[in-house]
Amino acid sequence: MDQVTAQAASGELARPPANDEALGVAYRTHGPVVLNYLSRMLLGNRALAEDILQETLVRAWNHPEARSADGQWSRGWLMTVARRIAIDHIRSAQGRMTEVLDERIADQEVIEDDVDRLLNAATVREAVASLPERLRGALVEIYFRESSVAEAARNLSVPEGTVKSRTFYALRALHEELVKRDFAL
């Protein structure tokens, strides 16, 4: 006994299988009504309404109960499924934080805290003052007076290589001093 005969014997009506032509008929027959309904429900978001209509038709394709015994698509079933999908989209959108970009933020003036800047400068000055003279001199020439290595060597009366090595060791010693003072680097 084949499947159609078995269904007829059990009292079930056989439904025609879904095919491209039948789905096209469903889209032409029910699509505009469902799309209009979804557009109103989604406050005019036609792109989302079209996406939901497409999802509804895919689900109809996969569910034979969306069709009546004579093969016609059930508008009530399509509307119910479309409504549920739309509600899911609305709920998921409400659950997400929306990012609001403020173009005016670039126009805002940055207010520097002079007290913090002065305290930081004082801490750095104290740390530099605590360095040995030979290291402090090289650091002051290179970083505070912005001298070149050659100029610093001339001012300190030492070779250029000595200025470079003293600057290296001065920076390392300054870092250690600032860490001892709990300075945020």
Side-chain angles (χ1 to χ4, degrees), residues 29-124:
T29 306
H30 304 293
V33 174
V34 175
L35 185 61
N36 188 24
Y37 171 72
L38 289 170
S39 293
R40 284 192 323 265
M41 187 175 183
L42 298 168
L43 304 174
N45 187 342
R46 185 165 175 93
L48 182 57
E50 288 172 351
D51 288 346
I52 293 173
L53 174 61
Q54 182 178 1
E55 175 67 23
T56 302
L57 291 174
V58 167
R59 289 189 188 181
W61 177 269
N62 292 322
H63 290 87
E65 64 270 16
R67 299 178 81 185
S68 63
D70 62 353
Q72 297 298 315
W73 297 92
S74 167
R75 183 175 286 177
W77 190 93
L78 293 171
M79 296 290 278
T80 300
V81 170
R83 180 177 175 273
R84 288 178 181 165
I85 295 171
I87 289 170
D88 288 345
H89 278 276
I90 292 168
R91 285 181 180 159
S92 69
Q94 289 172 346
R96 283 187 237 122
M97 297 285 292
T98 56
E99 183 175 332
V100 178
L101 298 177
D102 189 1
E103 293 81 23
R104 297 172 295 163
I105 201 159
D107 299 336
Q108 296 295 320
E109 185 178 324
V110 177
I111 300 172
E112 293 185 26
D113 190 359
D114 289 334
V115 173
D116 284 341
R117 190 176 51 79
L118 290 173
L119 289 174
N120 289 342
T123 304
V124 171

